[in-house]
Amino acid sequence: YESDGLPEEYLGNLLVTSWGDHRIDRFRLQPKGTSFTSLAEPLITGGENFRPVGLATAPDGSLFCTDWVLRDYKLHGHGRIWRIAPKETRKTPAIDLVSIPQRPSSELNGLMKSPRREVRRIAARSLARRPNKGEFDFLLLPQQAQGRMGLEAVWTLETVQIAEAVWLIKLVDDDDPVVGWSASTPGTTSRIGDFFGRGDKEVLARLIKEAFADLTNNGGKRLGDFAPAVLAKFASDRLDQSDRAELLRLSMSIDDPFVFGTAVTTAARHFKQDDFAKYLIPDATPDVKASAPRVRQAMLLAARKQAPREDRLLRVALADHDPDVRRLAVQWAAEEKLTDLKPRVAAMFDSKGMTTELFLATIAALEMLDGKKPEDFDKTPAEQYVVPLLKDEQRSPAVRAQALRLVSPTDKSLDAPLFASLLKSDHEALRLETVRTLQGAKPELSAPLLSDILRNEKLDVTIRTEAMVGLAAVAKSEPVGGPTRKLLRTFLTNTSLVPLRVEALRAARSLIKDDLELRDGVLEIAKTMRLLNDGALASELADQVALAFAEAKLEPPQELQLFTPAKPKDRAEWLAQLNRDRDGDPATGRRVFFHLNGAGCFKCHLVDGRGGRVGPDLSRAVGTMNRDRLIQSILEPSREIAPQFVSWTFELKDGKVVTGMVVHENEGKTIVGNAEGKLIEIKTIDIETRTPQKISVMPEKLAERMTLQELRDVLAFLDSRR
């Protein structure tokens, strides 16, 4: 094979002369009307900066690609073609895939051990279609079916629809973990006997139930993680309608995307529109109980797959009480350009249980139904769409509250009169979202409004504590003796409203180094803690005071010694402390998450549209990890870093160095987010080198910026997002 290189000034396009099961003779980068020299290139490793695109496999199993044409990629220039292959492959003759089915069985058995998946797959299917079935059954014997070879044999059985008996015996007998199930249990013999004695459908249905029960109760230890998906896919053509309905119910009992996808495909293939209606239309069929939201989601996707232009069931789904079902319905209407449904989509804004995802999907759907391209919508700032909704007094308070979450607190369209009018609303959620937006507004705008709320004793303590969070930023911007600092001082000694006292202490703890008046208020708390009857409150106040003095690098009051145990020293101690004693409070955890004093989670992470855009959106991300892993990500952020969140050091042509995570890279711009949550825009052409870092952009020792109870509360808040 030749690698045809071009001079640096040429970019060109990747052209492939043939594809699929046929030999690929050569790859070429060739702009029209140009000529170039053919170069024989050795295999060269591109290193960490190697960014392959245009991937394709050759008949010998090697991988061909071209590098990403970037000016800062200096290893060899631009637009070269690379061949990546194991050393032994370079000495192995290419296999013509088209010739495999005609080869003798002895050769096919040998090809089943090939490292190339397509060679194994064609060999297995060729053997399965031979008149002598024993040749294929030989592959299923335990001593033969090893690793990928066994897996390929099992999948081939389903594809060519060989007798279920052989497949099921393989399923319950195999103990190879790569094949995906280990069922060598005492019940194996009896199950095989049942199969031959009572017929395949009954046993198949029973095995499906066992597989789902195993995955639900044992984590798939006996039958393997993806056995239910394989079983469900294999069974879809062999069960009657009632059994398929039961299969659907079982599929929705576990949170597995492969099983969910199998259920959707099965329903689309075998159900009719009236069958979907049983699950989507309330009380459509008396003997069908109310289906779970995941079942309705699957039925809606299956109905669309079967009849994308039929809107009878879509109209029902647009009125579903579950926001995720409605989001799928809105997406269906927009992508299929069902313009007659635009009024129903627009009415979605006033539906109950609105979520940020549904809100954004509704805006996007209306734009698409008006003919706007999705890529143009993605490039438009959210404020352009949501500010008109926010200012429209005819809109419901719920819609305006959702819009507030998506507008930057410093947006010029948000002025004092608008905030004042929103705070007068009778709608509690709208008032609360207004206060939360003011937390990030400029101090000169937020200070008078938040101060009035905090002083208003007629208001609920919840909204007053949220106002205190915003005043922490205002106080930090003021000089010593400022009005907001004096207001905080009055609440430090307010023993009647404990939540406000704790919030005042949290707001003051970054200020006591230079503000003696606030320090005196904190010292007064330390001196009176022994008089408290609530041990848990005394412990939390002591931790808050200790953290305040530690941040100020001052000697802590002696009174704290009785109330502040040493912080955990290692991961095991942290896990033990965070999983015992007091439960966390999600509401307090939210205030800590968005608080200026503390870990500063909000600077990098989004939750329900609020926060920074450097790290992952935690509205959904926490659902992918258990509690221990969530704790680990806070205590040891650099221990495990997903590829898309790797931090980089960029050296620019002018000598400047920028370190952070790539948030966005397109159209000649690279947006980098740093540890403070700030976004830095760089012209991609100005990047001289980029070097990946082993340390996460998420700061170390975050736990030391919070009290133990604050960390419990933050974990409770994130857990509540699942």
Side-chain angles (χ1 to χ4, degrees):
Y1 292 89
E2 291 180 331
S3 177
D4 298 325
L6 285 173
E8 288 190 4
E9 60 266 29
Y10 292 128
L11 299 180
N13 295 306
L14 178 64
L15 304 178
V16 182
T17 58
S18 55
W19 191 257
D21 290 343
H22 303 285
R23 178 180 296 276
I24 299 174
D25 294 316
R26 67 189 293 126
F27 290 79
R28 176 169 297 182
L29 282 170
Q30 185 177 13
K32 292 181 179 180
T34 63
S35 61
F36 50 88
T37 304
S38 180
L39 301 174
E41 293 281 7
L43 177 65
I44 300 176
T45 302
E48 291 179 326
N49 286 328
F50 188 66
R51 311 182 77 172
V53 295
L55 304 175
T57 54
D60 64 351
S62 59
L63 179 71
F64 277 80
C65 63
T66 181
D67 59 40
W68 195 354
V69 181
L70 289 174
R71 184 169 180 176
D72 62 310
Y73 185 53
K74 296 183 175 181
L75 183 62
H76 56 69
H78 294 261
R80 297 294 180 89
I81 296 297
W82 300 95
R83 174 181 180 239
I84 302 97
K87 291 181 179 179
E88 60 272 15
T89 303
R90 306 186 75 174
K91 300 178 182 179
T92 304
I95 298 174
D96 187 353
L97 301 182
V98 178
S99 70
I100 292 178
Q102 285 75 45
R103 299 194 180 199
S105 298
S106 58
E107 289 189 25
L108 294 181
N109 275 296
L111 292 177
M112 283 294 294
K113 299 178 182 179
S114 171
R116 294 177 56 191
R117 181 183 61 183
E118 65 272 27
V119 171
R120 296 194 307 272
R121 183 155 299 175
I122 296 174
R125 294 181 180 182
S126 299
L127 274 174
R129 292 187 175 96
R130 297 284 165 94
N132 183 5
K133 298 299 183 185
E135 294 176 339
F136 182 82
D137 294 347
F138 175 73
L139 298 176
L140 300 173
L141 296 177
Q143 64 269 30
Q144 295 296 322
Q146 299 297 319
R148 298 295 174 185
M149 175 179 169
L151 179 62
E152 205 59 63
V154 171
W155 279 104
T156 296
L157 280 168
E158 179 200 350
T159 304
V160 299
Q161 296 185 351
I162 289 181
E164 289 89 337
V166 179
W167 192 82
L168 288 173
I169 291 171
K170 170 64 181 174
L171 171 66
V172 297
D173 276 348
D174 196 284
D175 60 358
D176 190 305
V178 179
V179 176
W181 37 74
S182 53
S184 53
T185 64
T188 297
T189 305
S190 63
R191 284 203 298 276
I192 295 175
D194 287 344
F195 174 84
F196 288 112
R198 295 192 294 167
D200 59 347
K201 288 186 178 180
E202 185 175 346
V203 174
L204 184 59
R206 188 156 64 84
L207 280 174
I208 292 170
K209 293 179 181 179
E210 289 181 10
F212 278 105
D214 171 58
L215 189 61
T216 302
N217 301 323
N218 305 318
K221 294 179 181 178
R222 186 170 62 82
L223 292 175
D225 287 343
F226 62 88
V230 178
L231 274 167
K233 190 167 184 276
F234 182 73
S236 62
D237 293 325
R238 296 161 175 81
L239 299 178
D240 57 30
Q241 196 75 343
S242 61
D243 286 328
R244 290 193 191 106
E246 176 66 6
L247 175 62
L248 174 67
R249 187 188 67 78
L250 290 169
S251 300
M252 298 301 101
S253 67
I254 58 175
D255 186 11
D256 185 301
F258 295 101
V259 176
F260 184 86
T262 298
V264 171
T265 302
T266 299
R269 184 184 303 146
H270 297 288
F271 283 20
K272 298 179 180 179
Q273 291 289 306
D274 288 343
D275 296 319
F276 298 135
K278 294 177 182 178
Y279 296 90
L280 292 170
I281 300 177
D283 303 322
T285 307
D287 59 343
V288 176
K289 296 181 180 179
S291 53
R294 277 176 58 82
V295 175
R296 299 200 301 279
Q297 292 168 31
M299 290 294 95
L300 186 63
L301 290 170
R304 178 183 177 182
K305 184 185 286 286
Q306 188 182 94
R309 302 294 298 177
E310 171 59 54
D311 66 359
R312 179 171 64 97
L313 296 177
L314 175 55
R315 292 172 181 269
V316 175
L318 286 169
D320 195 282
H321 65 268
D322 181 74
D324 287 332
V325 174
R326 298 202 303 276
R327 186 189 62 77
L328 290 175
V330 163
Q331 182 176 347
W332 177 356
E335 292 178 346
E336 297 297 338
K337 296 180 174 57
L338 303 176
T339 54
D340 290 346
L341 295 178
K342 184 180 176 181
R344 290 176 179 262
V345 173
M348 197 64 58
F349 284 128
D350 296 315
S351 61
K352 294 182 179 179
M354 174 64 73
T355 63
T356 302
E357 292 85 355
L358 176 57
F359 190 81
L360 287 171
T362 302
I363 294 175
L366 290 173
E367 291 295 312
M368 291 172 67
L369 290 173
D370 282 339
K372 190 164 188 175
K373 296 179 180 179
E375 56 267 28
D376 294 335
F377 175 80
D378 289 340
K379 295 177 182 178
T380 306
E383 287 85 350
Q384 183 171 324
Y385 296 103
V386 299
V387 168
L389 294 173
L390 173 63
K391 292 186 173 183
D392 185 356
E393 296 182 359
Q394 301 302 313
R395 291 286 181 182
S396 71
V399 171
R400 303 179 80 188
Q402 280 289 344
L404 261 179
R405 296 192 183 108
L406 301 172
V407 182
S408 170
T410 57
D411 190 277
K412 295 180 180 180
S413 62
L414 304 182
D415 53 22
L418 176 61
F419 278 123
S421 66
L422 294 174
L423 289 172
K424 293 177 182 178
S425 171
D426 295 332
H427 194 268
E428 182 180 352
L430 179 55
R431 292 199 310 273
L432 184 60
E433 290 302 330
T434 303
V435 172
R436 288 172 174 171
T437 302
L438 283 167
Q439 291 171 357
K442 294 181 179 180
E444 59 270 21
L445 177 61
S446 63
L449 295 170
L450 294 178
S451 296
D452 288 346
I453 292 171
L454 183 59
R455 291 190 180 97
N456 191 341
E457 297 180 358
K458 295 180 180 180
L459 294 176
D460 185 79
V461 70
T462 300
I463 199 167
R464 295 176 72 190
T465 53
E466 292 285 349
M468 186 80 81
V469 173
L471 287 174
V474 176
K476 202 165 187 175
S477 69
E478 286 182 352
V480 174
T484 306
R485 295 190 180 211
K486 289 184 177 295
L487 183 60
L488 291 181
R489 177 66 176 84
T490 64
F491 282 93
L492 286 175
T493 52
N494 187 330
T495 58
S496 61
L497 292 172
V498 172
L500 289 177
R501 190 183 192 191
V502 174
E503 282 301 332
L505 180 51
R506 186 176 290 122
R509 72 187 188 200
S510 65
L511 307 173
I512 68 169
K513 182 177 182 178
D514 302 315
D515 195 317
L516 296 181
E517 188 175 357
L518 285 176
R519 190 191 306 176
D520 287 341
V522 174
L523 284 171
E524 188 173 339
I525 292 176
K527 294 175 182 178
T528 58
M529 280 189 302
R530 58 187 176 83
L531 302 177
L532 295 173
N533 295 323
D534 188 338
L537 174 60
S539 177
E540 170 61 6
L541 289 174
D543 284 345
Q544 289 280 353
V545 173
L547 188 55
F549 276 80
E551 289 183 2
K553 297 182 179 180
L554 298 172
E555 192 69 25
Q558 293 183 351
E559 291 87 351
L560 299 184
Q561 295 179 2
L562 296 175
F563 301 96
T564 53
K567 273 196 171 184
K569 298 178 181 179
D570 53 34
R571 183 169 177 267
E573 289 186 13
W574 273 107
L575 289 173
Q577 286 289 339
L578 292 171
N579 289 311
R580 72 165 62 144
D581 298 326
R582 291 181 60 190
D583 294 330
D585 176 46
T588 302
R590 191 199 181 284
R591 294 196 296 273
V592 174
F593 186 95
F594 287 96
H595 208 288
L596 185 67
N597 300 333
C601 312
F602 73 97
K603 295 178 181 179
C604 295
H605 297 286
L606 277 172
V607 173
D608 289 342
R610 294 191 183 278
R613 301 178 184 275
V614 175
D617 185 341
L618 296 183
S619 307
R620 297 278 187 175
V622 292
T624 65
M625 59 181 82
N626 58 33
R627 184 179 175 84
D628 286 354
R629 189 175 176 189
L630 181 58
I631 294 172
Q632 175 189 301
S633 68
I634 297 173
L635 299 179
E636 303 171 279
S638 298
R639 181 174 178 176
E640 183 178 332
I641 307 174
Q644 66 269 35
F645 300 121
V646 167
S647 181
W648 296 79
T649 294
F650 300 89
E651 294 184 18
L652 308 183
K653 288 181 178 179
D654 60 5
K656 293 182 180 179
V657 176
V658 177
T659 298
M661 193 186 74
V662 177
V663 177
H664 180 74
E665 191 166 24
N666 200 5
E667 298 181 341
K669 298 178 182 179
T670 299
I671 310 298
V672 179
N674 64 17
E676 294 300 316
K678 295 181 180 179
L679 298 179
I680 304 168
E681 182 177 309
I682 306 171
K683 290 183 178 180
T684 307
I685 199 172
D686 290 340
I687 298 176
E688 196 71 25
T689 63
R690 58 177 79 202
T691 307
Q693 303 299 305
K694 295 182 179 180
I695 298 176
S696 170
V697 71
M698 186 169 168
E700 300 286 340
K701 300 182 179 180
L702 285 175
E704 295 183 9
R705 303 183 188 181
M706 295 179 279
T707 69
L708 188 61
Q709 187 56 40
E710 282 180 338
L711 186 47
R712 287 195 188 101
D713 293 336
V714 168
L715 289 170
F717 168 60
L718 295 177
D719 276 335
S720 71
R721 313 308 306 163
R722 296 188 189 279

